[in-house]
Amino acid sequence: MIINIHTSIGSRLKAARSHKGWSLDKTSQHTGVSKAMLGQIERGESSPTVVRLWNIANGFELPLSYFLTDLELAKTQSSVFINTLENNEHDIKVVTLFPYDAVTKMEVFQITLDPQRQHISAPHNAGVIEHIIAVDGSMEYFLALTADGITQQWHTLKQGESVKFDANQAHGYRNVTDKSVTIHNIISYT
């Protein structure tokens, strides 16, 4: 099911703000997203990029899939979720394979990167671990810092290989090939 980004994400953002009792100003302070942009997202006038959505999720200390799961569908069906979000550049697609599960504290996404696409993610909250599996093709991943603070370079991840890392550092993925690349991204929260 492809969700309507303009209404579903806006509804989820309103629900998260209401639950916290936050104004748009306070939400902006916690997420790093401007008050104007947050208002546009809530009104369905703008859809956030994947990076901006991560910033919002991190600010609320919510899993990304909270915003990718259709609010109305979540009320009626608890066992079947397949939702798609495409960011504004239309060259990265994120599909929720398994939304956040409070028991396992995990969520699973399928990410498809178009040829020559690079995605850099800001650090996530402390305790967030990402597992990346190259499903279809080879890709590269980047970690900003090691435990001793040394800057890292891009590393190749071939089809069938996987890597696990603390996501509380800048990190990224890129496709340097001429074909789309699919990865599975398993995110665990502690």
Side-chain angles (χ1 to χ4, degrees), residues 60-113:
F60 280 103
E61 297 183 347
L62 290 169
L64 180 62
S65 64
Y66 171 84
F67 292 99
L68 300 180
T69 304
D70 184 17
L71 188 58
E72 293 306 312
L73 180 64
K75 290 178 184 176
T76 60
Q77 297 178 341
S78 61
S79 61
V80 178
F81 294 94
I82 298 181
N83 297 306
T84 301
L85 169 73
E86 292 185 30
N87 78 353
N88 290 344
E89 292 85 5
H90 301 292
D91 54 3
I92 181 172
K93 182 169 67 171
V94 179
V95 176
T96 305
L97 298 179
F98 296 99
Y100 178 76
D101 182 304
V103 174
T104 63
K105 296 185 179 181
M106 296 175 70
E107 58 189 346
V108 181
F109 301 100
Q110 178 175 292
I111 299 172
T112 303
L113 297 167

Coordinates of all heavy atoms in Angstrom, one line a residue, residues 60-113:
F60 N 11.4 13.6 18.5 CA 10.3 13.1 19.3 C 10.7 11.8 20.0 O 10.0 11.2 20.8 CB 9.1 12.8 18.4 CG 8.2 14.0 18.1 CD1 8.3 14.6 16.9 CD2 7.4 14.5 19.1 CE1 7.5 15.7 16.6 CE2 6.6 15.7 18.8 CZ 6.7 16.3 17.6
E61 N 11.9 11.3 19.7 CA 12.4 10.0 20.2 C 11.5 8.9 19.8 O 11.1 8.0 20.6 CB 12.7 10.1 21.7 CG 13.8 11.0 22.1 CD 14.1 11.1 23.6 OE1 13.3 10.5 24.4 OE2 15.1 11.7 23.9
L62 N 11.1 8.9 18.5 CA 10.2 7.9 17.9 C 10.9 7.2 16.8 O 11.8 7.7 16.2 CB 8.9 8.6 17.4 CG 8.0 9.2 18.3 CD1 6.9 10.1 17.6 CD2 7.2 8.1 19.1
P63 N 10.5 6.0 16.6 CA 11.1 5.2 15.4 C 10.6 5.9 14.1 O 9.5 6.5 14.1 CB 10.5 3.8 15.6 CG 9.3 4.0 16.4 CD 9.5 5.1 17.3
L64 N 11.4 5.8 13.1 CA 11.0 6.3 11.8 C 9.7 5.8 11.3 O 8.9 6.5 10.7 CB 12.1 6.1 10.8 CG 11.9 6.6 9.4 CD1 11.8 8.1 9.3 CD2 13.1 6.1 8.5
S65 N 9.5 4.5 11.5 CA 8.3 3.9 11.0 C 7.0 4.5 11.6 O 5.9 4.3 11.0 CB 8.3 2.3 11.2 OG 8.3 2.0 12.5
Y66 N 7.1 5.2 12.7 CA 5.9 5.8 13.3 C 5.3 6.8 12.2 O 4.1 6.9 12.1 CB 6.3 6.6 14.5 CG 5.2 7.5 15.0 CD1 4.2 7.0 15.8 CD2 5.1 8.9 14.6 CE1 3.1 7.9 16.3 CE2 4.1 9.7 15.1 CZ 3.1 9.2 15.9 OH 2.1 10.0 16.3
F67 N 6.2 7.5 11.5 CA 5.7 8.4 10.5 C 5.4 7.7 9.1 O 4.8 8.3 8.3 CB 6.7 9.5 10.3 CG 6.8 10.4 11.5 CD1 7.8 10.2 12.4 CD2 5.9 11.4 11.7 CE1 7.9 11.0 13.6 CE2 5.9 12.2 12.9 CZ 6.9 12.0 13.8
L68 N 5.9 6.5 8.9 CA 5.7 5.8 7.7 C 4.5 4.9 7.7 O 4.1 4.3 6.7 CB 6.9 5.0 7.3 CG 8.2 5.9 7.1 CD1 9.4 4.9 6.7 CD2 8.0 6.9 6.1
T69 N 3.9 4.7 8.9 CA 2.7 3.9 9.0 C 1.5 4.7 9.0 O 1.4 5.7 9.7 CB 2.8 3.1 10.3 OG1 4.0 2.4 10.4 CG2 1.7 2.1 10.5
D70 N 0.6 4.4 8.1 CA -0.6 5.2 7.9 C -1.4 5.1 9.2 O -1.7 4.0 9.7 CB -1.4 4.6 6.8 CG -2.7 5.4 6.5 OD1 -2.8 6.6 6.9 OD2 -3.6 4.9 5.8
L71 N -1.8 6.3 9.8 CA -2.5 6.4 11.0 C -3.8 5.6 11.0 O -4.1 4.9 11.9 CB -2.8 7.8 11.4 CG -3.3 8.2 12.7 CD1 -2.4 7.7 13.8 CD2 -3.5 9.7 12.9
E72 N -4.6 5.7 10.0 CA -5.9 5.0 9.9 C -5.7 3.5 9.7 O -6.4 2.8 10.3 CB -6.7 5.6 8.7 CG -7.2 7.0 9.0 CD -7.9 7.2 10.3 OE1 -8.8 6.4 10.6 OE2 -7.5 8.2 11.1
L73 N -4.7 3.1 8.9 CA -4.5 1.7 8.8 C -4.0 1.1 10.1 O -4.4 0.0 10.4 CB -3.4 1.5 7.7 CG -3.0 0.0 7.4 CD1 -4.2 -0.7 6.8 CD2 -1.9 0.0 6.4
A74 N -3.2 1.8 10.8 CA -2.7 1.3 12.1 C -3.8 1.0 13.1 O -3.7 0.2 13.9 CB -1.6 2.3 12.6
K75 N -4.9 1.8 13.0 CA -6.0 1.6 13.9 C -6.8 0.4 13.6 O -7.4 -0.2 14.5 CB -6.9 2.8 13.8 CG -6.4 4.1 14.4 CD -7.3 5.2 14.3 CE -6.8 6.5 14.8 NZ -7.7 7.7 14.5
T76 N -6.8 -0.1 12.3 CA -7.6 -1.2 11.9 C -6.9 -2.5 11.7 O -7.4 -3.6 11.8 CB -8.4 -0.8 10.6 OG1 -7.4 -0.5 9.6 CG2 -9.3 0.4 10.9
Q77 N -5.6 -2.4 11.3 CA -4.8 -3.6 11.0 C -3.5 -3.6 11.8 O -2.8 -2.6 11.7 CB -4.5 -3.7 9.5 CG -5.7 -3.9 8.7 CD -5.3 -3.9 7.2 OE1 -4.2 -3.5 6.8 NE2 -6.2 -4.4 6.4
S78 N -3.2 -4.6 12.5 CA -2.0 -4.6 13.3 C -0.9 -5.5 12.8 O 0.2 -5.5 13.3 CB -2.3 -4.9 14.8 OG -2.8 -6.2 14.9
S79 N -1.2 -6.4 11.8 CA -0.3 -7.4 11.4 C 0.3 -7.2 10.0 O 1.3 -7.9 9.7 CB -0.9 -8.8 11.6 OG -2.0 -8.9 10.8
V80 N -0.4 -6.5 9.2 CA 0.1 -6.3 7.8 C 0.4 -4.9 7.5 O -0.5 -4.1 7.5 CB -1.0 -6.9 6.8 CG1 -0.5 -6.7 5.4 CG2 -1.3 -8.3 7.1
F81 N 1.7 -4.6 7.2 CA 2.0 -3.2 6.9 C 3.0 -3.3 5.7 O 4.1 -3.9 5.8 CB 2.8 -2.5 8.0 CG 1.9 -2.3 9.2 CD1 1.8 -3.2 10.3 CD2 1.1 -1.1 9.3 CE1 1.1 -2.9 11.4 CE2 0.3 -0.9 10.4 CZ 0.3 -1.8 11.4
I82 N 2.7 -2.6 4.7 CA 3.7 -2.4 3.6 C 3.4 -1.0 3.1 O 2.4 -0.7 2.5 CB 3.7 -3.4 2.4 CG1 4.0 -4.8 2.9 CG2 4.6 -3.0 1.3 CD1 3.9 -5.9 1.9
N83 N 4.3 -0.1 3.5 CA 4.1 1.3 3.2 C 5.3 1.9 2.5 O 6.4 1.5 2.7 CB 3.8 2.2 4.5 CG 2.6 1.7 5.2 OD1 1.5 1.7 4.6 ND2 2.7 1.4 6.4
T84 N 5.1 2.8 1.6 CA 6.2 3.4 0.8 C 6.2 4.9 1.0 O 5.2 5.6 1.0 CB 5.9 3.1 -0.7 OG1 5.9 1.7 -0.9 CG2 7.1 3.7 -1.5
L85 N 7.4 5.4 1.2 CA 7.7 6.8 1.2 C 8.8 7.1 0.2 O 9.8 6.5 0.2 CB 8.2 7.3 2.6 CG 8.7 8.7 2.6 CD1 7.5 9.7 2.5 CD2 9.5 9.0 3.9
E86 N 8.5 8.1 -0.7 CA 9.6 8.5 -1.6 C 9.9 9.9 -1.2 O 9.0 10.7 -1.0 CB 9.1 8.4 -3.1 CG 8.9 7.0 -3.6 CD 8.6 7.0 -5.0 OE1 9.1 7.8 -5.8 OE2 7.9 6.0 -5.4
N87 N 11.2 10.2 -1.1 CA 11.5 11.6 -0.7 C 11.4 12.5 -1.9 O 11.1 12.1 -3.0 CB 12.9 11.7 -0.1 CG 14.1 11.6 -1.1 OD1 13.9 11.4 -2.3 ND2 15.3 11.8 -0.6
N88 N 11.6 13.8 -1.7 CA 11.3 14.8 -2.7 C 12.2 14.7 -3.9 O 11.9 15.1 -5.0 CB 11.5 16.2 -2.1 CG 10.4 16.5 -1.2 OD1 9.3 15.9 -1.2 ND2 10.5 17.6 -0.4
E89 N 13.4 14.1 -3.8 CA 14.3 13.9 -4.9 C 13.9 12.8 -5.8 O 14.4 12.6 -6.9 CB 15.8 13.7 -4.4 CG 16.4 14.9 -3.8 CD 16.0 15.0 -2.3 OE1 15.4 14.1 -1.7 OE2 16.4 16.0 -1.7
H90 N 13.0 11.9 -5.4 CA 12.5 10.8 -6.2 C 13.5 9.8 -6.6 O 13.4 9.1 -7.6 CB 11.7 11.3 -7.4 CG 10.5 12.2 -7.0 ND1 9.4 11.7 -6.3 CD2 10.3 13.5 -7.1 CE1 8.6 12.7 -6.1 NE2 9.1 13.8 -6.6
D91 N 14.6 9.8 -5.9 CA 15.7 8.8 -6.3 C 16.1 7.9 -5.1 O 17.0 7.2 -5.2 CB 16.9 9.5 -6.9 CG 17.5 10.6 -5.9 OD1 17.0 10.7 -4.8 OD2 18.4 11.2 -6.3
I92 N 15.3 7.9 -4.1 CA 15.4 7.0 -2.9 C 14.0 6.6 -2.5 O 13.1 7.5 -2.4 CB 16.2 7.6 -1.8 CG1 16.4 6.6 -0.6 CG2 15.6 8.9 -1.3 CD1 17.3 7.1 0.5
K93 N 13.8 5.3 -2.3 CA 12.5 4.8 -1.9 C 12.7 4.0 -0.6 O 13.6 3.2 -0.5 CB 11.9 4.0 -3.0 CG 10.5 3.5 -2.7 CD 9.8 2.9 -3.8 CE 10.4 1.6 -4.3 NZ 9.6 0.8 -5.3
V94 N 11.9 4.3 0.4 CA 11.9 3.6 1.6 C 10.6 2.9 1.8 O 9.5 3.5 1.7 CB 12.1 4.6 2.8 CG1 12.1 3.8 4.1 CG2 13.4 5.3 2.6
V95 N 10.6 1.5 2.0 CA 9.4 0.7 2.2 C 9.5 0.1 3.6 O 10.6 -0.5 3.9 CB 9.3 -0.4 1.1 CG1 8.2 -1.3 1.4 CG2 9.3 0.1 -0.3
T96 N 8.5 0.3 4.4 CA 8.5 -0.3 5.7 C 8.1 -1.8 5.5 O 7.0 -2.2 5.1 CB 7.4 0.3 6.6 OG1 7.6 1.7 6.6 CG2 7.4 -0.2 8.0
L97 N 9.1 -2.7 5.9 CA 8.8 -4.1 5.9 C 8.2 -4.6 7.2 O 7.2 -5.3 7.2 CB 10.1 -4.9 5.6 CG 10.8 -4.6 4.3 CD1 12.1 -5.4 4.1 CD2 9.9 -4.9 3.1
F98 N 8.7 -4.1 8.3 CA 8.1 -4.3 9.6 C 8.2 -3.0 10.4 O 9.3 -2.5 10.6 CB 8.9 -5.4 10.4 CG 8.9 -6.8 9.7 CD1 9.9 -7.2 8.9 CD2 7.8 -7.6 9.9 CE1 9.9 -8.5 8.3 CE2 7.7 -8.8 9.3 CZ 8.8 -9.3 8.5
P99 N 7.1 -2.4 10.8 CA 7.1 -1.2 11.5 C 7.7 -1.5 12.9 O 7.8 -2.6 13.3 CB 5.6 -0.8 11.6 CG 4.9 -2.0 11.4 CD 5.7 -2.9 10.5
Y100 N 7.9 -0.4 13.6 CA 8.5 -0.6 15.0 C 7.6 -1.5 15.8 O 6.4 -1.4 15.9 CB 8.6 0.8 15.7 CG 9.1 0.7 17.1 CD1 10.4 0.5 17.3 CD2 8.2 0.8 18.2 CE1 10.9 0.4 18.6 CE2 8.7 0.7 19.4 CZ 10.1 0.5 19.7 OH 10.6 0.4 20.9
D101 N 8.3 -2.4 16.5 CA 7.7 -3.4 17.4 C 8.2 -3.1 18.8 O 9.4 -3.2 19.1 CB 8.0 -4.8 17.0 CG 7.4 -5.9 17.8 OD1 7.6 -5.8 19.1 OD2 6.7 -6.7 17.3
A102 N 7.3 -2.8 19.7 CA 7.7 -2.4 21.1 C 8.3 -3.6 21.8 O 9.1 -3.4 22.7 CB 6.5 -1.9 21.9
V103 N 8.0 -4.8 21.5 CA 8.6 -6.0 22.1 C 10.0 -6.2 21.7 O 10.9 -6.3 22.5 CB 7.8 -7.2 21.9 CG1 8.5 -8.5 22.4 CG2 6.4 -7.1 22.4
T104 N 10.3 -6.2 20.4 CA 11.7 -6.4 19.9 C 12.5 -5.1 19.8 O 13.7 -5.1 19.7 CB 11.6 -7.0 18.5 OG1 11.0 -6.1 17.6 CG2 10.9 -8.3 18.5
K105 N 11.8 -3.9 19.9 CA 12.4 -2.6 19.8 C 13.1 -2.5 18.5 O 14.2 -1.9 18.4 CB 13.3 -2.3 21.0 CG 12.5 -2.2 22.3 CD 13.4 -1.8 23.4 CE 12.6 -1.7 24.7 NZ 13.4 -1.3 25.8
M106 N 12.5 -3.0 17.4 CA 13.1 -3.0 16.1 C 12.1 -2.6 15.0 O 10.9 -2.7 15.2 CB 13.7 -4.4 15.7 CG 14.8 -4.8 16.6 SD 15.3 -6.5 16.2 CE 16.1 -6.3 14.7
E107 N 12.6 -2.1 13.9 CA 11.9 -1.9 12.7 C 12.7 -2.2 11.5 O 14.0 -2.1 11.6 CB 11.4 -0.4 12.6 CG 12.5 0.6 12.7 CD 11.9 2.1 12.8 OE1 10.7 2.3 12.6 OE2 12.7 2.9 13.1
V108 N 12.1 -2.6 10.4 CA 12.9 -3.0 9.2 C 12.4 -2.3 8.0 O 11.2 -2.2 7.7 CB 12.8 -4.5 9.0 CG1 13.6 -5.0 7.8 CG2 13.2 -5.3 10.3
F109 N 13.3 -1.8 7.2 CA 13.0 -1.0 6.0 C 13.7 -1.6 4.8 O 14.8 -2.2 4.9 CB 13.5 0.4 6.1 CG 12.8 1.2 7.2 CD1 13.5 1.4 8.4 CD2 11.5 1.6 7.1 CE1 12.9 2.1 9.4 CE2 10.9 2.3 8.1 CZ 11.6 2.5 9.3
Q110 N 13.2 -1.5 3.6 CA 13.8 -1.8 2.4 C 14.1 -0.4 1.7 O 13.2 0.4 1.5 CB 13.0 -2.6 1.5 CG 13.6 -2.9 0.1 CD 12.8 -3.8 -0.7 OE1 12.6 -5.0 -0.3 NE2 12.2 -3.3 -1.8
I111 N 15.4 -0.2 1.4 CA 15.7 1.1 0.8 C 16.3 0.8 -0.6 O 17.2 0.0 -0.7 CB 16.8 1.8 1.7 CG1 16.3 2.1 3.1 CG2 17.3 3.1 1.0 CD1 17.3 2.7 4.0
T112 N 15.7 1.5 -1.5 CA 16.2 1.4 -2.9 C 16.9 2.8 -3.3 O 16.2 3.8 -3.2 CB 15.1 1.0 -3.9 OG1 14.5 -0.2 -3.4 CG2 15.7 0.9 -5.3
L113 N 18.1 2.7 -3.7 CA 18.9 3.9 -4.1 C 19.0 3.8 -5.6 O 19.5 2.9 -6.2 CB 20.3 3.9 -3.5 CG 20.3 4.0 -2.0 CD1 21.8 3.7 -1.5 CD2 19.9 5.4 -1.5

